[in-house]
Every structure is written in structure tokens, then in C-alpha cells.
Amino acid sequence: MRIGIIGSGNIGGTLTRRLSALGHDVTVANTRGPDSLADLASETGATPATPEEAVGGAELVVIAVPLRAVPELPDLDGKLVVDANNYYPGRDGRIEAIEGGAASSRWVADQLPGARVVKAFNTIQWSHLLEHGRPAGEAGRIALPVAADDAAAKQVVMELVEALGFDAVDAGGLDDSRRQEPGTEVYGADLDADRTRTALTSA
Ligand SMILES: NC(=O)c1ccc[n+]([C@@H]2O[C@H](COP(=O)([O-])OP(=O)(O)OC[C@H]3O[C@@H](n4cnc5c(N)ncnc54)[C@H](OP(=O)(O)O)[C@@H]3O)[C@@H](O)[C@H]2O)c1
């Protein structure tokens, strides 16, 4: 797949490494510009770019930025967008819609009209995403919840999660993604698929 990644930090850099290694055609962007991405590009074979360029030809766009930066992102109308982000008011400032009870991914979708938003990768620490992928069927394989309103988009992302070495668990629609946010039982817990399903159901 042609994959654009916006954000080259802990999560964006990790997904650039892992998705490039799987053979995907990855373009990566940040705020500081393509020159700042030279080392990551030469390590992974990914193409350094501006955010607009990363979005342009992409079949799937990962956004891995501080949540407060989402309204500054390029037009993502019609794109499959993977929202790996979390809301931390201390970092992001107070976002009233989320404080009022909206899932942070619902707020993200509201900022990106026409995007098919899928919540994934927000629950796992970046170093575990980098190193703890395992073959399907291996005991203790970590599960990652995937939530979206668009079933086809969710299926694409669930397959990507599996290819990266994690069990993909259907976590329902975008509003259900509150059950995988910071402070929930699945967050940062590296649970297996059964325990993830139980934790999501009881959340
Ligand atoms: N750290 C984790 O283990 C982890 C796990 C799961 C989810 N998350 C979530 O994933 C998101 C990213 O976390 P992180 O730890 O990867 O953050 P990070 O290391 O601080 O990286 C953030 C990246 O976003 C880029 N960025 C910021 N504003 C931007 C904009 N307007 N346009 C384009 N790029 C922009 C930054 O660009 P520059 O490099 O130029 O500054 C940087 O590359 C957060 O929402 C976080 O809560 C983090």
C-alpha cells in the first residue's frame, strides 16, 4: 500500500520503520520538513515529504501527532485515516468536546470532514509496537483494538495490525473508541485478544 505518515516521533517513526519493513511504500512528514527526515529515510527507505505530499498519493494516512495539531493537518477528505492519537489535556490544552464526553477520535473525525477515520495503535507504547510483534497463534500475542464507523476501512486496518504481529480486535464504532482511551483497562496493558475483548465489553 502507499502509506502516508504524518508525525515522525515515537509512534510515527516506529510505524515508518515497521511498515517499510513489511514492503509498504511509505512517505513520512513532520513539522520541521523533509531535510530533518534524512536519517529516518535512509534507514527505512521511506520517502521524506511535507504533510501535503504525504497525503497526496496515499491510500492510507496515519496521523501520529499531538492531538492539538489535528486541525492544522492538510485536507484528508476521502482518505482512510488511522488515528493513533490520545488526548492529554496537559499537552494538548483543554478540548471542550472531549471534556464533554466525546471520544477523541470522534473529535478528530469532526476536524477532518470526509475522512474515513479508524482508531488504532493508540493503546500500545511505541517500543512495544516496534519490538513485540509476534506470529499469529503465538501464546501471549498482544491485541490491539481497532474502532471505526466504516467497516471496509476498519477491515483494512485490522489486516495491517495482524501483519505487524498483533491480534486485531474489533472495538466497534468510533464512539466506542472511548473504551480504548487513556485510563481504560486496555490502555498500555498489552492484553491478549480474549482479555482485550472482555476489557472492552466491561468498560
Ligand atoms: N509515545 C507513545 O508510546 C504513544 C503510544 C500510542 C499513542 N501515542 C499518541 O500518538 C501521538 C504521537 O505521539 P508521539 O509519542 O509519537 O509524539 P512525538 O514523539 O512528540 O512526535 C510527534 C510528531 O508529530 C509531528 N507534528 C506535530 N505537529 C504537526 C503538524 N501540525 N503537522 C505535521 N506533523 C506534526 C512532530 O513533528 P516534529 O518532529 O517536526 O516536531 C513529531 O514528528 C500522540 O497523540 C500520542 O498521544 C503515543
Side-chain angles (χ1 to χ4, degrees), residues 11-186:
I11 285 289
T14 295
L15 286 171
T16 299
R17 290 179 172 87
R18 296 284 336 269
L19 293 169
S20 296
L22 287 179
H24 294 287
D25 178 359
V26 175
T27 301
V28 59
N30 61 10
T31 58
R32 289 166 296 143
D35 289 350
S36 71
L37 294 162
D39 288 348
L40 182 61
S42 66
E43 177 194 332
T44 61
T47 304
T50 64
E52 288 76 12
E53 289 164 348
V55 165
E59 297 161 90
L60 181 151
V61 176
V62 178
I63 53 175
V65 299
L67 201 66
R68 66 167 187 277
V70 168
E72 303 161 12
L73 298 179
D75 183 10
L76 287 156
D77 188 5
K79 296 289 182 183
L80 195 174
V81 173
V82 178
D83 174 21
N85 304 300
N86 292 302
Y87 173 52
Y88 284 104
R91 178 193 64 193
D92 297 314
R94 191 178 158 88
I95 298 176
E96 289 306 329
I98 301 174
E99 295 289 343
S104 68
S105 281
R106 173 60 64 200
W107 178 80
V108 166
D110 288 345
Q111 309 310 304
L112 307 174
R116 295 174 292 142
V117 175
V118 181
K119 177 83 159 192
F121 302 115
N122 74 297
T123 53
I124 186 166
Q125 192 192 319
W126 69 271
S127 59
H128 294 192
L129 182 59
L130 186 65
E131 293 167 358
H132 292 182
R134 297 286 180 267
E138 192 167 293
R141 197 184 198 220
I142 296 170
L144 302 183
V146 181
D149 294 339
D150 184 312
K154 178 159 58 176
Q155 185 59 33
V156 170
V157 177
M158 289 182 77
E159 287 170 15
L160 210 53
V161 166
E162 292 280 345
L164 287 164
F166 301 91
D167 282 341
V169 169
D170 188 335
L174 220 47
D175 292 328
D176 298 313
S177 67
R178 287 184 60 190
R179 301 184 301 180
Q180 66 189 73
E181 289 183 351
T184 62
E185 199 179 335
V186 297

